[in-house]
Amino acid sequence: QVQLVESGGGLVQAGGWLRLSCAASGDTFCISSMGWYRQAPGKERELVAIITSDGTTNYADSVKGRFTSSRDSDRNTVLLRMDRLNVADAAVYYCYAQTRTNALCEQDDYWGQGTQVTVSS
């Protein structure tokens, strides 16, 4: 089992920035990928950024060049720096972790409780 706790959401004006952080606990040695998803009202949850176990980071096209995600595997944390925010970025942001399958672990998906990001125009 893996537990994920996000922090850092809030209200920001368009053009501003926010930084989200996510701390993982539990069976963190099972984690392969970590990243961020978001869900706006009336919309499906969508990928924002994902960092694989080899360090490759993939971003949604809508955030490329504005958002930066980093991962500290030793501290089991993942960060999301969001610059030049616009109203379309407003959503609940969820931390995500996928665990691998091996002798000690099973593949599964884990989610944080979500943190609200509000962008005012």
Side-chain angles (χ1 to χ4, degrees), residues 39-94:
Q39 187 168 20
K43 295 187 177 181
E44 294 188 353
R45 191 171 297 188
E46 62 175 2
L47 173 71
V48 176
I50 191 82
I51 305 175
T52 62
S53 57
D54 65 358
T56 302
T57 306
N58 294 306
Y59 296 95
D61 287 343
S62 59
V63 307
K64 283 181 181 177
R66 300 187 299 120
F67 289 14
T68 304
S69 189
S70 60
R71 180 178 173 183
D72 184 337
S73 297
D74 291 338
R75 297 184 178 182
N76 300 309
T77 59
V78 62
L79 305 177
L80 183 67
R81 166 79 184 217
M82 305 182 291
D83 291 300
R84 304 197 307 278
L85 284 159
N86 57 60
V87 294
D89 296 316
V92 177
Y93 283 70
Y94 296 91

Side-chain angles (χ1 to χ4, degrees), residues 98-114:
Q98 184 180 73
T99 52
R100 61 174 62 87
T101 298
N102 57 30
L104 299 175
C105 309
E106 292 183 354
Q107 185 174 351
D108 207 341
D109 298 318
Y110 293 90
W111 300 92
Q113 80 283 1

